[in-house]
Amino acid sequence: MILTVEPLDTGLCGEITPPGDKSISHRVLIFATLAAGRSELSGVLESEDTLATLQACEQLGAIVARSCGRICIEGTGGELKQPSAGRLDLGNSGTAMRLLAGVLCGQDFDTILSGDESLNRRPMRRIVEPLRLMGADIEPTGQGTAPLTIRAGDGLQGIEYKSPVASAQIKSCVLLAGLYASGVTRVNEPRLSRDHTERLLPLFGVALPAPCSITGGSKLKAAVFNVPGDISSAAFPLAAAALMPGSDIMLRRVGLNPTRTGFLECLEEMGADLRVVNRSDQGAEPEGDIQLVFNGPLKGIDVPKTRVADMIDELPLLMALAATASGITRIRGAAELRVKESDRLAVMATGLQQLGVELKEYQDGIDITGGEISGGLVASAGDHRCAMSFAVLGLHASAEVQIEDAQFIATSYPEFCDDMNRLGAMMQAAESA
Ligand code: S3P
């Protein structure tokens, strides 16, 4: 599918509620499946990634009822059943695969976890190593990728794991395996990655004895939770409004977990005028409304390395904004971008150059010199976030921008074009010829 974006000569205006947070949605679906009793979940993201998780949950024995935007899950009380044919297909979702691998290593049945072409290329040794240290019988392919073959083992032991990467997927995988291990399992990471697992487990009745640690044998209880909007999806309209003169938009109920807000800090440093109103810190996850009013052309910035983990999924979008900002924007310490749904540094660098942008790519980052954006056809390499980043940039281009493989946007934000068009954009997806 090709997405065509017309350049705009007006600002974006209006109000939207972005879709539910993807990371939180995966977790509450999995936790509700492990829990005893009936969980009531609202605001859950219903995109290809999270629907793959929901389907896996059903195959593992959860009883799911969906109506009017609510998902009720009758949990298994921890008694998971072996999926039919012994396999789960997790589509494009790295979070589903890595978190469920942790859970499934603790079961008394065998499972094979597989995904689409992109997911089956992503590195899995990063979870296989700690899981094996815990005693799990888990086998990736010779390249260290999925399909992952997990066999029922002789029980897991708790470990203290020092993760080489600040990754919430590794951390959550090990903590979930820790539910089935003897003793306490603890994860140390070089910097705090998104902490949704740690915030949400207590809601499902599991207290963490210390930060990033879990006691084996802890049982989950059903919970009621309303998932806030995804700041990683909200970032696209926010960036578009920061780019387009005359814009004034309001985004309702956006998740504001401090491990996720690095992009907002960058936007402000680039000169955007954004305000958080109606902030609520009551529940497990903070949230609020964000208003963004156009405040003049953006300035290039140096993104602090310490902020990279807090905005890892927004870096492709930041690269798109940098392409229009005055001066140079420098990003370093972001080598993880190379092992996301695509090699996001390479895909963004190639596409931006096709749109006339001057840049220099490094192994762990990029320098981008802002300037004029020409029109043209760019490849998203099947990566939802790269596709949406190019779409935002297309609003500011001198001619139409077309993005290939735009169907992958449904991975995280199926209503992206509708939401952007409601704010005044002109984007249209059509089957490729
Ligand atoms: C996620 C963690 C991040 C992020 C991904 C979602 C999660 O990945 O990029 O989109 O839900 O735990 P890493 O843990 O690999 O950094």
Side-chain angles (χ1 to χ4, degrees):
M1 192 165 270
I2 301 241
L3 179 65
T4 303
V5 182
E6 301 297 337
L8 274 194
D9 51 15
T10 56
L12 298 181
C13 291
E15 184 176 310
I16 53 172
T17 302
D21 187 280
K22 181 154 81 72
S23 292
I24 296 176
S25 297
H26 284 299
R27 285 164 174 78
V28 293
L29 293 174
I30 295 172
F31 298 170
T33 298
L34 299 180
R38 182 181 166 90
S39 293
E40 286 183 23
L41 309 171
S42 40
V44 173
L45 171 68
E46 298 193 27
S47 71
E48 285 181 2
D49 259 22
T50 47
L51 291 177
T53 293
L54 186 61
Q55 199 178 25
C57 290
E58 284 188 285
Q59 287 178 270
L60 290 168
I63 298 169
V64 176
R66 287 161 73 183
S67 76
C68 309
R70 265 190 349 155
I71 301 185
C72 292
I73 297 189
E74 189 65 48
T76 61
E79 298 294 313
L80 298 180
K81 70 169 203 230
Q82 186 177 30
S84 57
R87 281 181 89 87
L88 292 176
D89 179 359
L90 301 166
N92 195 244
S93 177
T95 306
M97 180 165 289
R98 293 189 176 121
L99 269 56
L100 286 172
V103 170
L104 291 165
C105 280
Q107 308 306 315
D108 57 6
F109 52 80
D110 303 349
T111 328
I112 295 173
L113 297 182
S114 189
D116 68 6
E117 214 185 297
S118 149
L119 181 53
N120 285 351
R121 268 200 314 264
R122 297 180 66 184
M124 291 296 154
R125 285 206 178 100
R126 52 180 55 201
I127 57 160
V128 168
E129 276 169 22
L131 290 172
R132 282 184 174 164
L133 289 174
M134 297 177 82
D137 185 345
I138 175 168
E139 191 75 43
T141 66
Q143 287 74 48
T145 56
L148 299 175
T149 304
I150 298 173
R151 293 186 198 89
D154 301 329
L156 304 179
Q157 304 93 50
I159 54 167
E160 170 134 6
Y161 186 61
K162 198 164 180 285
S163 175
V165 198
S167 157
Q169 294 180 359
I170 300 177
K171 171 173 63 179
S172 306
C173 168
V174 175
L175 290 176
L176 289 174
L179 283 172
Y180 305 97
S182 56
V184 171
T185 295
R186 183 194 297 263
V187 182
N188 299 308
E189 41 183 357
R191 261 192 69 74
L192 179 66
S193 63
R194 63 188 68 191
D195 61 357
H196 304 301
T197 297
E198 301 95 298
R199 283 170 180 264
L200 293 166
L201 275 173
L203 193 78
F204 285 85
V206 175
L208 307 188
C212 282
S213 65
I214 203 158
T215 307
S218 303
K219 297 282 177 226
L220 281 76
K221 292 194 305 248
V224 176
F225 191 65
N226 190 359
V227 178
D230 198 327
I231 192 163
S232 297
S233 298
F236 296 103
L238 287 174
L243 267 188
M244 302 309 301
S247 296
D248 183 351
I249 64 166
M250 176 67 92
L251 300 190
R252 299 287 181 198
R253 278 207 75 218
V254 183
L256 294 171
N257 179 315
T259 59
R260 299 283 300 280
T261 49
F263 182 70
L264 299 184
E265 290 163 44
C266 286
L267 266 183
E268 285 192 308
E269 284 171 15
M270 293 176 94
D273 174 11
L274 63 88
R275 257 160 258 177
V276 174
V277 292
N278 301 324
R279 198 188 155 95
S280 154
D281 288 295
Q282 307 290 292
E285 293 281 352
E287 60 180 65
D289 300 339
I290 306 179
Q291 181 181 24
L292 195 142
V293 180
F294 179 76
N295 193 34
L298 299 175
K299 311 185 281 283
I301 57 166
D302 284 359
V303 178
K305 279 189 187 172
T306 50
R307 197 181 288 161
V308 162
D310 299 345
M311 57 177 299
I312 190 74
D313 292 339
E314 290 68 72
L315 285 170
L317 180 60
L318 190 87
M319 293 181 217
L321 284 184
T324 71
S326 59
I328 303 180
T329 294
R330 297 180 188 84
I331 300 172
R332 292 290 184 286
E336 273 294 296
L337 289 180
R338 298 210 179 270
V339 291
K340 295 293 179 187
E341 285 83 329
S342 71
D343 176 343
R344 288 183 171 162
L345 281 167
V347 171
M348 290 307 296
T350 306
L352 290 175
Q353 279 171 320
Q354 274 161 349
L355 298 177
V357 179
E358 194 188 319
L359 57 85
K360 185 161 165 41
E361 188 183 336
Y362 297 87
Q363 198 280 326
D364 69 337
I366 196 162
D367 286 351
I368 298 176
T369 307
E372 295 294 305
I373 309 298
S374 62
L377 176 68
V378 290
S380 67
D383 186 314
H384 54 128
R385 299 207 195 276
C386 296
M388 290 186 276
S389 303
F390 289 129
V392 166
L393 189 56
L395 301 173
H396 200 264
S398 58
E400 193 174 275
V401 169
Q402 292 196 305
I403 301 133
E404 288 178 328
D405 288 329
Q407 69 276 16
F408 281 89
I409 289 174
T411 298
S412 62
Y413 196 169
E415 314 82 7
F416 171 72
C417 290
D418 291 344
D419 280 355
M420 294 298 290
N421 290 345
R422 197 168 316 135
L423 295 173
M426 285 187 290
M427 301 186 176
Q428 202 169 6
E431 291 301 329
S432 345

